[in-house]
Amino acid sequence: MQHLLSAADLSHDEAVLILDTAAQLAEVTDRSVKKLPTLRGRTVVNLFFEDSTRTRISFEVAAKRLSADVINFAAKGSSVSKGESLKDTALTLEAMGADAVIIRHGASGAPHRLAASSWTGCSVINAGDGTHEHPTQALLDAYTLRRHLAGGSGDLSGLSVAIVGDILHSRVARSNVLLLKTLGASVTVVAPPTLLPYGIDSWPCSVSYDIESVLPRVDAVMMLRVQAERMQAAFFPSALEYSRLYGLDIDRFNLLPSHAIVLHPGPMNRGMEISADVADENRSVMVEQVANGVSVRMAVLYLLLGGMAEVEQ
Amino acid sequence: MDSARVVLDEADIARAIRRIAHEIVEKAKGPEALLLLGIPTRGVFLAQRIADAITAIEGVQVPCGALDITLYRDDLRLRTVRALESTSIPTSGVDGLTIVLVDDVLFSGRTIRAALDALNDLGRPAAVRLAVLVDRGHRELPIRPDYVGKNLPTSLVENVRVLLAEVDGADSVEINGGGS
């Protein structure tokens, strides 16, 4: 592995290796010295063209726990706002000696462009590109599912997961469907027809429009945020109607099997896709997802940067 | 060619472990405040065997754990990336304890250097000792073992393998290669 661009690029064994590595690295979080010397002298650039708090901070904490140097580059207030292209930004970072670039970009495929180009030789990690993919989020969700439902080891075979909400605009949903499929889980996406992408029938998952028929037979439900910033085109008549039909309130929560957990990639809109009382249930694992995100990102950074650069065959 | 020569058999290994257990307890003046930490993979099983031997001698259970040193290695960038092994340290930590690091073969000493760095991040032990089943020489760092199962003078072209029942099905120590 040189880059992490898409959850689809991960084989079953690679995905399990990342989760196993994350499980070992999670122990570092419990120590008084939360630091490892492994990536000393390596430079990691957080190249964020879109706003993000938790993903950027999570990557920053992960890199610092491994002793890498972290440079934060936000497009706002940088040369990008003066009209610099992705290529020139990449060449600049390359000249400064970056070993890895963690990129979030509004355009789907920007990380792929960066990785496939000859602009830079560093590892590229996709931290969310447009409505395409967000592979480390899928990995941390898989890690969380594995901890709660699969005994913390192996893969997720036999588990059933529902993903509810704005599938159309969600990079988290796409990455999760692909990764959970690789790990052996079966996925059902639940959304109003207007919020399902074209070609959803080619995704490795089943589709439902009725959340209440799906909830009683899943081991976990993942609620997605209704992305108000991408909702200009009236995908549903009103926010209240969406909330009534697809929101997870306490009555629907009680339809879940007693072992099932609730995930949310954050940030949550309480009262919209998830009600406040469900968000505060102890089977809702959002806070743990954030903690697991650091471990999983440490694992990704270690596996991409920890060894000798792989020679291309 | 592939002429493996057995230098220790099952009974030799058992005797060495028993002697090391005696020496550890003698030097520590009792089995209290001891913690055995094995270095994966085979060091972990050796540490467990030494702990069992101490229990047989003293009738006291000695805590036993594992310390993975992969993240502290100095040769990470010379190889493709390695998978991590598990680390298990008692929840009470290492502060104030006498740690006995246990490994199968002592060679360059670089693994032990990494283990000392790892311990440094875990706390402040009262003392750190080193027990190895085989010392084959060729140290590259100023590190020496406190307890040795067998000193085995080797040439650099030879390869020492420790086989343990827990992973390899049977106990033995072999030397490979190096011709005659």
Side-chain angles (χ1 to χ4, degrees):
Chain A
M1 268 198 306
Q2 201 207 338
H3 308 293
L4 179 63
L5 303 176
S6 159
D9 294 343
L10 294 171
S11 68
H12 176 272
D13 291 351
E14 282 171 335
V16 172
L17 174 66
I18 293 174
L19 300 185
D20 287 344
T21 306
Q24 302 298 349
L25 289 167
E27 291 174 8
V28 175
T29 310
D30 303 330
R31 319 194 311 201
S32 56
V33 180
K34 296 181 179 54
K35 196 123 174 136
L36 294 162
T38 316
L39 297 184
R40 212 160 61 88
R42 304 263 171 140
T43 304
V44 172
V45 177
N46 271 331
L47 183 60
F48 276 62
F49 291 90
E50 267 190 346
D51 292 336
S52 159
T53 312
R54 72 189 67 214
T55 305
R56 184 179 61 75
I57 292 177
S58 181
F59 268 113
E60 184 169 349
V61 170
K64 285 183 170 168
R65 291 230 170 117
L66 292 169
S67 300
D69 294 315
V70 183
I71 298 169
N72 282 312
F73 183 104
K76 272 179 197 151
S78 72
S79 49
V80 172
S81 60
K82 299 172 190 162
E84 189 174 64
S85 66
L86 180 62
K87 176 174 180 178
D88 290 318
T89 306
L91 291 173
T92 307
L93 297 172
E94 171 76 359
M96 289 179 186
D99 295 295
V101 174
I102 296 156
I103 177 171
R104 165 164 296 189
H105 200 287
S108 302
H112 189 270
R113 182 82 186 94
L114 196 57
S117 70
S118 56
W119 305 336
T120 165
C122 33
S123 292
V124 178
I125 299 172
N126 181 359
D129 58 334
T131 58
H132 179 226
E133 285 233 33
H134 191 355
T136 56
Q137 177 71 40
L139 284 163
L140 78 89
D141 289 335
Y143 180 85
T144 308
L145 290 168
R146 191 174 86 151
R147 271 208 55 192
H148 281 272
L149 303 169
S153 63
D155 62 12
L156 302 174
S157 50
L159 291 183
S160 174
V161 180
I163 303 178
V164 184
D166 181 1
I167 311 295
L168 176 62
H169 297 107
S170 176
R171 49 198 175 207
V172 176
R174 186 190 306 266
S175 288
N176 259 303
V177 167
L178 295 168
L179 183 70
L180 293 176
K181 167 74 180 164
T182 303
L183 289 170
S186 64
V187 182
T188 307
V189 297
V190 183
T194 50
L195 287 177
L196 288 169
Y198 178 75
I200 186 75
D201 44 333
S202 68
W203 288 28
C205 63
S206 50
V207 179
S208 170
Y209 304 133
D210 177 14
I211 184 171
E212 286 175 9
S213 69
V214 172
L215 290 179
R217 57 181 171 81
V218 296
D219 301 297
V221 57
M222 191 179 297
M223 303 305 297
L224 300 176
R225 184 170 65 96
V226 176
Q227 306 188 32
E229 69 271 25
R230 304 193 212 267
M231 283 297 154
Q232 302 90 345
F235 291 100
F236 42 77
S238 75
L240 189 61
E241 181 179 320
Y242 177 85
S243 182
R244 288 257 173 85
L245 288 173
Y246 292 96
L248 188 66
D249 58 17
I250 197 73
D251 293 333
R252 289 193 177 133
F253 179 81
N254 288 331
L255 295 175
L256 286 165
S258 59
H259 67 275
I261 58 171
V262 180
L263 297 94
H264 193 301
M268 282 187 282
N269 293 325
R270 285 175 182 242
M272 181 72 178
E273 70 271 6
I274 187 164
S275 70
D277 44 1
V278 173
D280 295 331
E281 278 284 334
N282 56 13
R283 279 155 57 201
S284 297
V285 295
M286 294 69 164
V287 177
E288 194 197 315
Q289 283 176 274
V290 176
N292 292 342
V294 174
S295 305
V296 163
R297 288 174 179 123
M298 284 173 77
V300 169
L301 286 169
Y302 169 66
L303 292 171
L304 291 184
L305 296 180
M308 183 179 63
E310 277 174 54
V311 182
E312 293 288 325
Q313 294 295 315
Chain B
M1 288 297 289
D2 215 40
S3 56
R5 184 156 58 86
V6 175
V7 282
L8 294 179
D9 63 19
E10 192 180 337
D12 296 330
I13 292 175
R15 276 191 287 270
I17 285 173
R18 230 169 10 246
R19 175 174 52 77
I20 289 173
H22 275 287
E23 287 176 355
I24 289 173
V25 179
E26 184 187 4
K27 184 154 181 188
K29 299 191 167 64
E32 299 80 22
L34 272 178
L35 171 61
L36 303 180
L37 286 182
I39 297 173
T41 315
R42 289 175 182 75
V44 178
F45 300 112
L46 287 172
Q48 188 56 54
R49 290 192 193 186
I50 293 173
D52 293 344
I54 293 177
T55 306
I57 299 161
E58 297 282 327
V60 184
Q61 196 72 44
V62 176
C64 198
L67 181 66
D68 179 43
I69 52 95
T70 309
L71 293 163
Y72 292 86
R73 297 189 73 98
D74 60 5
D75 61 351
L76 283 172
R77 290 187 203 180
L78 305 178
R79 308 228 199 157
T80 53
V81 70
R82 296 158 178 264
L84 303 185
E85 306 278 347
S86 77
T87 291
S88 65
I89 307 287
T91 45
S92 51
V94 300
D95 291 356
L97 297 176
T98 295
I99 308 287
V100 181
L101 292 172
V102 183
D103 203 359
D104 50 359
V105 180
L106 181 60
F107 186 20
S108 67
R110 288 176 190 266
T111 303
I112 305 305
R113 199 272 321 156
L116 292 172
D117 282 358
L119 270 181
N120 197 30
D121 283 354
L122 287 170
R124 187 176 185 281
V128 183
R129 316 265 184 238
L130 174 60
V132 295
L133 186 58
V134 175
D135 179 358
R136 62 166 296 190
H138 304 289
R139 214 77 76 241
E140 293 164 6
L141 293 170
I143 280 170
R144 56 155 184 78
D146 298 279
Y147 315 104
V148 183
K150 182 164 180 65
N151 281 300
L152 205 58
T154 56
S155 96
L156 277 170
V157 294
E158 287 170 324
N159 188 12
V160 177
R161 288 184 65 202
V162 171
L163 305 172
L164 294 178
E166 291 91 334
V167 256
D168 309 294
D171 286 357
S172 72
V173 176
E174 302 176 351
I175 297 186
N176 294 307
S180 65

